[in-house]
Amino acid sequence: MLQPRIPVNPLPTGTTIPVPTPTADIEPTITPAPVPMPVQATPARATVQLTPGSALALAAGGGAVVLVVGAVLVSMLLAVAISAVSIAVVAVVLRLLVSDTQKDQ
């Protein structure tokens, strides 16, 4: 049905590669349409009933997720702060070393 168009590229010898063309004796294959599955009757609106135990488990799970995400974010912030402080200390030490070497000259 859809075939890519291949450009004719000249070879270094000057010969060209012909573009393949489909032949008329090849018939396309026809695939049968899928058979639809029977639809089961479902209620118009599904209701979710929470028991006190499942509500408590849902609240505990949500609290655990909040605590884990908060711990990850705080640890990332702490890592950035420690990196910034260490870079500042290195900058101060390098500045003192450079000024000390310039005084000796």
Side-chain angles (χ1 to χ4, degrees):
M1 191 167 119
L2 296 175
Q3 293 183 352
R5 298 288 180 180
I6 302 171
V8 179
N9 296 326
L11 295 175
T13 59
T15 60
T16 58
I17 301 172
V19 176
T21 57
T23 58
D25 59 343
I26 299 175
E27 295 182 15
T29 59
I30 300 173
T31 58
V35 177
M37 298 296 292
V39 179
Q40 296 178 354
T42 57
R45 183 176 173 184
T47 58
V48 177
Q49 295 178 355
L50 290 176
T51 62
S54 63
L56 183 63
L58 184 63
V65 168
V66 167
L67 288 176
V68 168
V69 170
V72 168
L73 291 177
V74 167
S75 64
M76 289 173 63
L77 180 64
L78 185 62
V80 169
I82 290 172
S83 299
V85 168
S86 64
I87 290 172
V89 168
V90 168
V92 168
V93 169
L94 285 176
R95 185 175 178 187
L96 290 173
L97 287 174
V98 169
S99 66
D100 193 33
T101 56
Q102 287 179 351
K103 286 181 183 178
D104 291 339
Q105 293 178 355

